[in-house]
Amino acid sequence: MSRKISIIFLTLFFLITSTTYAQDTYYTVQPGDSMWKIAQKYQVGISEIIAANPEIKNPALIYPGQKIKIPVIETKSLESEVVRLVNIERAKVGLPPLKENWQLSRIARYKSQDMINKNYFSHYSPTYGSPFQMIESFGLRFSAAGENIAMGQRTPQEVMNAWMNSPGHRSNILNPTYTEIGVGLAKDKAGRCYWTQMFIKPI
């Protein structure tokens, strides 16, 4: 099984400008709720909630008492474990932990899935462009950003070992500029793992 890792990082000053799910859960809409509030509560993208509820014809019109299916991301525990391992490594050298940003993890998950869908292994996506363009297109603003990708490692510990043994990837993980992290995992039909780490310093 081939295993690959790759890295990209960039600092910007004066910045101007298909996931697998596990068992579903349901939420009962409360007065004052919106799709965005529900998405934030469950840390799931609005588009994923809409896709799980095709009977809702107008997502802007939801009403109290309505039951909404919330898709549960089955890879989240593995992604969060990578974040935990990252922060262990940062603590070893006296750096503060990175905050796990669920929206950034969602973007990283899309990137991992895109590499599978379009059959490539690169920081540049034929769908989204560069990591920096991709992060911006999902509405996150940053003054610094970076990306690590890997393919073939079976567990969070395996992929972290690979990244930490590569000077470039290690420098992203231990970069004192970054304050938030997102991790996305997707598996192809053969079960091969595609990993993406995205780092940002938000504006």
Side-chain angles (χ1 to χ4, degrees):
M1 178 181 295
S2 64
R3 299 183 187 182
K4 300 179 181 178
I5 58 175
S6 188
I7 176 179
I8 191 168
F9 52 88
L10 177 71
T11 302
L12 300 175
F13 299 102
F14 312 112
L15 180 68
I16 301 176
T17 56
S18 122
T19 302
T20 303
Y21 297 106
Q23 180 179 342
D24 293 321
T25 188
Y26 287 85
Y27 173 73
T28 301
V29 177
Q30 303 298 309
D33 272 342
S34 65
M35 277 292 192
W36 174 238
K37 286 183 179 180
I38 296 169
Q40 287 183 305
K41 176 181 176 66
Y42 286 96
Q43 299 189 351
V44 178
I46 291 177
S47 62
E48 286 90 332
I49 296 176
I50 292 171
N53 295 272
E55 73 281 2
I56 298 177
K57 303 306 179 186
N58 185 348
L61 295 176
I62 57 175
Y63 53 88
Q66 185 175 5
K67 298 284 187 183
I68 293 182
K69 183 189 294 183
I70 308 295
V72 178
I73 303 164
E74 70 171 12
T75 55
K76 184 159 180 56
S77 63
L78 296 174
E79 296 162 354
S80 293
E81 176 63 8
V82 171
V83 175
R84 189 184 74 85
L85 294 173
V86 163
N87 285 331
I88 287 174
E89 296 298 336
R90 289 175 66 87
K92 289 178 183 178
V93 295
L95 290 172
L98 297 176
K99 176 186 175 184
E100 187 173 5
N101 180 323
W102 73 267
Q103 294 180 76
L104 194 60
S105 289
R106 178 174 178 250
I107 299 168
R109 203 173 296 123
Y110 269 79
K111 174 61 180 286
S112 292
Q113 188 63 51
D114 189 61
M115 287 192 287
I116 294 170
N117 294 347
K118 298 296 176 66
N119 192 30
Y120 71 94
F121 182 75
S122 170
H123 293 291
Y124 187 86
S125 162
T127 307
Y128 304 104
S130 73
F132 319 110
Q133 292 170 321
M134 184 175 184
I135 294 170
E136 286 180 300
S137 72
F138 277 79
L140 297 186
R141 300 181 66 228
F142 55 88
S143 59
E147 178 182 84
N148 288 343
I149 57 176
M151 178 182 69
Q153 294 78 10
R154 295 165 294 182
T155 67
Q157 190 65 65
E158 276 191 22
V159 76
M160 277 298 296
N161 289 345
W163 280 329
M164 289 302 292
N165 287 326
S166 164
H169 298 86
R170 180 186 176 94
S171 68
N172 256 352
I173 291 168
L174 302 181
N175 189 322
T177 301
Y178 302 138
T179 59
E180 297 186 2
I181 183 174
V183 177
L185 167 63
K187 297 181 181 181
D188 66 14
K189 291 180 180 178
R192 181 168 50 182
C193 293
Y194 285 71
W195 303 86
T196 302
Q197 280 182 328
M198 288 180 167
F199 307 86
I200 61 170
K201 179 180 181 181
I203 293 178

